[in-house]
Amino acid sequence: MTQAEKKPRGIDAGSLGEHELIRELETIHRSRHDTLLHGSPAALSAHTTRMAQLEEEYLRRHPERSVSPGRTRAGARDRPEAGPGTG
């Protein structure tokens, strides 16, 4: 990896206002799949690093965020199994 590839990209996540942080998270999550499928190794690495920075900042600011029961291990076990043709 070159020095240019190691250089931080974007505004420091901790310096973003709440609205900007949410907007950056939405944008990076939308672009993730395309970067995974078609980005160079350097692009994927930079994307992963930036996504982690933004997510860590969000979690730092919102440690008591609401967690959907279906997004927990116990909640996932309670879901009915999908049968053929159900999705």
Side-chain angles (χ1 to χ4, degrees):
M1 186 177 285
T2 67
Q3 280 303 110
E5 291 169 338
K6 292 179 184 178
K7 183 180 174 188
R9 309 256 167 109
I11 298 171
D12 176 63
S15 298
L16 294 169
E18 188 68 13
H19 178 75
E20 290 80 17
L21 177 62
I22 297 299
R23 187 178 64 229
E24 289 286 320
L25 281 164
E26 290 170 345
T27 299
I28 204 160
H29 285 129
R30 275 194 310 270
S31 66
R32 182 63 179 180
H33 188 73
D34 190 54
T35 305
L36 174 64
L37 295 180
H38 307 292
S40 68
L44 183 58
S45 178
H47 199 277
T48 299
T49 299
R50 181 63 172 167
M51 189 168 63
Q53 292 167 349
L54 294 167
E55 289 176 348
E56 288 167 8
E57 179 60 22
Y58 181 84
L59 292 173
R60 187 190 69 75
R61 292 182 192 188
H62 303 281
E64 301 297 324
R65 73 192 196 291
S66 63
V67 176
S68 174
R71 290 294 192 174
T72 64
R73 187 169 280 186
R77 286 189 196 114
D78 291 340
R79 282 187 236 143
E81 291 202 26
T86 59

